[in-house]
Amino acid sequence: MAESNVVVGVFEDVDQAQQAYDSLRAQGFGDDYVSLANPQEMRRPQLDIRYLVEAGIPDAEARFYAQEFSEGHALVTVRVAGLPPASARKAVALLEGHGAYDAHAGRERRGPYAPHIRTEQPSPFFDLTYPEDLAQPASDQPSPHSQEERPE
């Protein structure tokens, strides 16, 4: 399977996704590294596969995540490119510990979680949600931090 710059956790339960997101933030992963896409809060019921691929997610995996999202499952993403490998492993463990699965494991959780992560080179910033995609007005959205936070 292809390597990815991004770790993705799929959650059947939105509350678990929120808890995973909060745990990642509490462990030092900044707004510029972590994203939560809740299909219940977004106006569009689909994710743009091209956007996922541009963010560093291989095409076949991007299709899997877009399908899961369209079925109402929340996604938590962590941009791991440019981070120390230990930080990437910590992100995987936190997501998995909160009940996430990914394209490698599948819903049945038969395979390993995120076995092909690439951390060597930084990837561009991305967020799966744009303020205009959310049900609440963009003015109610929290503004991103101006400083980039990097977990150690």
Side-chain angles (χ1 to χ4, degrees):
M1 236 178 228
E3 292 182 327
S4 178
N5 293 326
V6 180
V7 174
V8 181
V10 181
F11 294 86
E12 293 176 355
D13 182 289
V14 173
D15 291 334
Q16 284 180 302
Q18 184 66 55
Q19 290 171 3
Y21 175 85
D22 293 342
S23 292
L24 287 160
R25 295 289 290 127
Q27 291 295 312
F29 291 89
D31 284 340
D32 49 345
Y33 282 84
V34 182
S35 174
L36 169 62
N38 179 349
Q40 297 171 2
E41 293 179 355
M42 294 179 71
R43 290 185 182 140
R44 287 184 247 170
Q46 297 180 343
L47 293 176
D48 187 339
I49 293 173
R50 293 173 299 173
Y51 185 63
L52 295 172
V53 171
E54 288 172 11
I57 299 171
D59 185 68
E61 293 176 36
R63 292 182 189 287
F64 175 82
Y65 297 128
Q67 179 64 39
E68 293 297 300
F69 186 81
S70 71
E71 292 179 15
H73 301 140
L75 303 178
V76 175
T77 61
V78 183
R79 182 172 55 100
V80 295
L83 293 180
S87 293
R89 288 190 298 275
K90 181 195 294 186
V92 169
L94 283 168
L95 290 171
E96 196 170 23
H98 284 281
Y101 59 93
D102 71 350
H104 302 278
R107 282 188 192 172
E108 298 80 24
R109 294 162 177 83
R110 292 188 181 157
Y113 191 103
H116 303 288
I117 300 169
R118 181 176 56 232
T119 61
E120 300 81 36
Q121 300 201 2
S123 64
F125 169 76
F126 78 99
D127 190 337
L128 291 178
T129 58
Y130 289 107
E132 63 268 19
D133 288 338
L134 299 174
Q136 59 189 160
S139 61
D140 292 345
Q141 296 297 311
S143 60
H145 297 294
S146 59
Q147 289 186 342
E148 186 173 287
E149 300 172 37
R150 286 183 83 166
E152 296 300 322

